[in-house]
Amino acid sequence: MMENEHDINGTASSDQKDGEDHDCTTTSTTTSIINTSIHLLKEEADLINRIRDILHLDEEIQQSSVTDRLSPQKHHNDRRFSINNITLSAATLEFKIERVKQKFAAGSMEEAFYECWKIPSEQRTLEIWKLGAESSKKLSCFAVAERWFSEAINACRSHNTDLNIKLEQARIARFYSTYLLRYPMIDIRVDSRGKGIYAKRVISTGEDIFTDIPIVHSQTVDTLTISPACATCTTSLLTPSLYFETSWLQMSDKLRKQIEDNWPKMTIVPCTGCHYEIYCSEECRLKAWVSYHRILCPSNNSATVELYQFCANRQIIVRETWNSIFSPMIIAKLWAMIIIDTVDHLVNDNTSSSSIINSIETSTAIERAKEKFSDFISTGDETYVYTIPRMLRIMQNIFDHSSLPFRYEVDEKEFTYRFYQIACNAQSFSSPTYAAMIYSHFLFNIRNDRNLCQILQKYSHGEPRDQVFGGLFLLQSCLNHSCDNSVEIMDCQVTPEQAGIKVRCKHQLKPGDELTINYVDLGLGRRARRAMLKRAYNFWCECIRCRFEGDDCNSCTECRKYSENNRKSFPACSRCRAAWYCSADCQKRAWKRGHKIICRDWTKERSSSSAN
Ligand SMILES: C[S@@+](CC[C@H](N)C(=O)[O-])C[C@H]1O[C@@H](n2cnc3c(N)ncnc32)[C@H](O)[C@@H]1O
């Protein structure tokens, strides 16, 4: 997923072996179970109002209903239902359950859901929660279906994989329906690894499958100071003074002018409040200001200076093990976006400023704003946060003490959850207007000026490093890993204003085949790849390559037997040279079981890369 691995838990050993207990980390928060939220209850109330209109139902309902739990102030336009709590007798309950089943079997989903909903929530059985979930799903109310599947899971005494998958499918329908309509050749399905993307038709090698733009992004700490770029559209803003660094000051005015005249023209618009963020245009500046920077700009919140300094100081970051491809700034931006969405919502709903603080409307608006980021998986070692106390404190200072209209608490749990959301999902990308491209344009412009070319040889230090960003992409983040990946991620100018990624098919895919990418450097050996994936993404890779590739010449790839005293090594597979066998029998068995698939692919791959 990344060019470099996220070096987040410097603890995993690189020689973990098959058969070991790999559960050394715990899952902090996953998307599989969602708790009943006020936001989802509001969706349910809207559905009930809709059904009541469709079915022309006017009678008052004598029961405790979802709307009772919503603020009377906010929902003054909703039809009110009586708050009387009633308990149905066993016979009535049985009769009502029977009626739900009949309505459902008859295909009348509005009536089936309405009948389910009329049963007091305390008396809803597992079957009722399930039927309510199925009927609301059929009515395309995926948020309601999610809540009811979630309640069905709670009503189940034991783990129910089927219900968990259904819950996840309802979430997928809610989050990804626009993508799936736009890209009919793919589908999103769930298994024990979470979501994954699958081909629905034959996809040919080299075919572009989909594009995606990030919901939130930030430049990586390792390129931030050396390769400046527009914080919004990611276009390189490399100037000659930044490229030539200290040599720039040693040059004569005449030489500097000659260079500037030939350097590709660019506009640099700095933030009007701080000197940390730069943009390529006023539109990009405004876009950032409106969506997150007004919360993070040091001119509005002095606590953010420390975060900017932390990101700019690579030495500290490396020392503190935050040398990952993603920047802590992306987490701060994500929280800033949640806060801005919340405020916008409250303003649109005309919530009075006095009731913003800690009101139920505010909690609902925060929950609604968080929803946008809720489908990104977040798994990792819960204790990791203790190793980066400084970052937690910086974030708390920014969000707990800023002049926000309400309190947004960044506690350890929230920090860890967001940290792993970014660690598991962030994808590196950049604008196709790279720093190297700007520099090569410059070289092209001066190609006929031999004298200038000669002088510059003294100052030039080769191709500049390109700007790299880490971003959260809603659809792309559903791609699972395989060391024998079937698709590749490429940088792409998705819209004239926004850079993003494009997913391109690497090997032909048949319907049902999974689209997979590689999260780590595939040039590494199996042991190192697996250790890195475990450490950075919290899973033990069981892809076809990891299953049928060997570790080294001292252990048999098939039966895992070690060569005696490590003196005599086992012979390697003569085609791929990535598997070793203690006997011809082991080799034959491995070939039949699956080695032939990766042996063929890797032999092909190697010969094509050596031909290039
Ligand atoms: C970017 S997400 C991929 C989509 C993810 N399955 C989901 O439900 O959102 C990365 C996470 O997916 C899971 N994952 C990805 N590839 C996997 C694989 N080959 N085996 C097991 N889990 C995998 C891991 O939990 C990893 O941290």
Side-chain angles (χ1 to χ4, degrees), residues 1 31 168 192-196 375-377 379 424-425 476-482 519 536-543:
M1 167 155 272
T31 54
E168 206 48 52
S192 57
R193 299 162 308 156
K195 300 179 294 294
D375 211 44
F376 294 102
I377 205 164
T379 118
C424 294
N425 295 285
Q476 177 277 338
S477 68
C478 298
L479 289 167
N480 285 318
H481 163 90
S482 166
Y519 295 179
Y537 297 94
N538 202 25
F539 70 91
W540 188 247
C541 191
E542 290 289 358
C543 75

Side-chain angles (χ1 to χ4, degrees), residues 605-612:
E605 196 133 311
R606 238 178 255 173
S607 49
S608 70
S609 60
S610 58
N612 293 338

Side-chain angles (χ1 to χ4, degrees), residues 110-319:
E110 279 93 359
E111 286 180 272
F113 183 75
Y114 193 62
E115 293 297 335
C116 286
W117 179 81
K118 282 203 300 181
I119 296 173
S121 56
E122 304 72 35
Q123 286 188 285
R124 287 175 200 157
T125 58
L126 170 62
E127 194 175 20
I128 286 299
W129 285 118
K130 277 202 307 200
L131 285 167
E134 296 287 1
S135 51
S136 53
K137 192 174 159 202
K138 288 212 159 77
L139 292 168
S140 299
C141 283
F142 302 115
V144 178
E146 256 178 80
R147 179 177 112 73
W148 283 63
F149 275 127
S150 175
E151 294 287 1
I153 290 168
N154 291 340
C156 250
R157 297 250 155 74
S158 54
H159 179 78
N160 186 319
T161 314
D162 187 44
L163 278 177
N164 273 299
I165 289 179
K166 284 191 166 163
L167 167 66
E168 206 48 52
Q169 280 165 346
R171 284 182 70 79
I172 288 169
R174 181 153 70 99
F175 276 88
Y176 302 98
S177 49
T178 21
Y179 279 114
L180 296 177
L181 281 173
R182 198 181 314 151
Y183 302 112
M185 78 263 255
I186 54 167
D187 196 12
I188 299 176
R189 297 209 305 257
V190 188
D191 64 16
S192 57
R193 299 162 308 156
K195 300 179 294 294
I197 305 185
Y198 296 82
K200 272 174 83 180
R201 62 152 168 83
V202 172
I203 303 178
S204 317
T205 308
E207 196 176 335
D208 289 340
I209 306 174
F210 65 83
T211 58
D212 206 358
I213 52 171
I215 300 188
V216 55
H217 63 281
S218 187
Q219 192 163 359
T220 59
V221 285
D222 53 345
T223 66
L224 194 61
T225 45
I226 51 170
S227 195
C230 172
T232 299
C233 73
T234 80
T235 294
S236 172
L237 295 177
L238 184 72
T239 57
S241 64
L242 272 163
Y243 172 73
F244 289 103
E245 295 173 346
T246 46
S247 320
W248 186 248
L249 299 173
Q250 294 154 15
M251 291 177 190
S252 67
D253 288 351
K254 188 178 158 215
L255 179 57
R256 282 209 289 261
K257 171 126 187 17
Q258 264 181 305
I259 295 173
E260 275 170 345
D261 287 347
N262 286 290
W263 199 265
K265 297 286 163 271
M266 63 180 69
T267 319
I268 298 187
V269 181
C271 166
T272 46
C274 70
H275 59 272
Y276 291 106
E277 297 284 1
I278 53 169
Y279 308 93
C280 69
S281 64
E282 186 55 21
E283 290 82 65
C284 279
R285 188 191 69 78
L286 262 175
K287 213 168 155 184
W289 184 260
V290 171
S291 51
Y292 62 85
H293 192 57
R294 64 187 144 129
I295 298 286
L296 299 180
C297 182
S299 65
N300 281 347
N301 184 350
S302 57
T304 56
V305 172
E306 207 182 347
L307 177 62
Y308 275 104
Q309 285 171 349
F310 183 94
C311 292
N313 192 339
R314 287 194 297 145
Q315 269 75 37
I316 292 179
I317 289 162
V318 171
R319 221 176 30 237

Side-chain angles (χ1 to χ4, degrees), residues 41 44-45 48 64-70 81 117 124 147:
L41 286 168
E44 194 169 303
I48 287 298
S64 167
S65 75
V66 287
T67 39
D68 302 332
R69 291 160 71 181
L70 298 169
F81 304 116
W117 179 81
R124 287 175 200 157
R147 179 177 112 73

